[in-house]
Amino acid sequence: MEDIAKTAREPILEIKSNSAQTDYEQPIGYKRLFELGYGFGVGDNVVSRIKLNIINGFQINPFFSVGFGTGLRYWNTRKTLLIPLFLDLRYNLLDKNVSPYVALGTGYSMNITDRTGGISGSFMLNPTVGATVRRSSKSSMNIGLGYDLLSLRDPIYHAISFNLGLSF
């Protein structure tokens, strides 16, 4: 004891792994996405529309998800209601709280107000670019700008759409 002049604790060094470099960790697994939007008709057959998407999907990794979607499309000028069934593919470019994303929806849209007495349908395609903003570890908001293509019988309808969504 006579040889010890002083006792002190040394600071403990904290080692951080590479996985702590991201702002959040995207949960892997089932996710739901609700989107509302408006499509401004463009081209020869100008028909604007109100959109609702309901997507059930699976987050495969922090960047990529795949899902199945349905919803409604209402064309006020034509008093037409469509129900889409589509595959939804989404890719976040960054694993951060705010990330740009690209998405592609493709499938079939049924016109349930067909005046010929039946239900008609058409091919649909909807590529979108936007941003995802994480609100918590389980929810995020999306804002996107997309292109809607829909071919009902002979005419093809084009629109530029603006979408707002909530994922959880």
Side-chain angles (χ1 to χ4, degrees):
M1 290 299 279
E2 297 163 357
D3 294 336
I4 299 174
K6 176 180 168 182
T7 62
R9 291 185 182 199
E10 291 185 21
I12 299 174
L13 297 176
E14 191 173 312
I15 300 173
K16 294 184 178 182
S17 68
N18 287 341
S19 64
Q21 298 298 319
T22 60
D23 294 336
Y24 72 94
E25 190 166 318
Q26 174 73 34
I28 306 300
Y30 176 72
K31 76 175 196 175
R32 293 159 298 285
L33 173 63
F34 292 96
E35 282 184 324
L36 285 174
Y38 189 81
F40 299 91
V42 296
D44 295 334
N45 301 306
V46 176
V47 178
S48 295
R49 63 208 70 163
I50 298 169
K51 300 171 47 169
L52 168 68
N53 288 335
I54 302 166
I55 301 167
N56 289 288
F58 190 83
Q59 189 75 39
I60 294 173
N61 60 40
F63 302 100
F64 184 69
S65 70
V66 61
F68 176 74
T70 188
L72 297 171
R73 304 289 184 270
Y74 181 68
W75 297 4
N76 189 33
T77 55
R78 298 220 173 165
K79 306 294 185 224
T80 302
L81 184 63
L82 304 162
I83 297 178
L85 300 171
F86 59 94
L87 176 67
D88 181 77
L89 305 171
R90 291 181 183 257
Y91 188 81
N92 284 318
L93 279 67
L94 303 172
D95 188 12
K96 300 282 185 186
N97 281 338
V98 177
S99 172
Y101 75 88
V102 293
L104 177 66
T106 185
Y108 187 78
S109 191
M110 296 178 291
N111 179 356
I112 62 170
T113 54
D114 188 351
R115 287 155 186 85
T116 62
I119 295 177
S120 63
S122 66
F123 170 75
M124 63 167 278
L125 181 69
N126 179 223
T128 303
V129 297
T132 298
V133 179
R134 296 292 295 170
R135 303 202 22 94
S136 71
S137 64
K138 295 183 181 180
S139 70
S140 62
M141 291 183 65
N142 299 330
I143 184 167
L145 183 65
Y147 166 74
D148 293 341
L149 177 136
L150 189 65
S151 62
L152 282 173
R153 296 193 180 157
D154 291 330
I156 296 177
Y157 298 94
H158 307 272
I160 302 299
S161 64
F162 177 74
N163 308 312
L164 289 172
L166 178 63
S167 177
F168 54 96

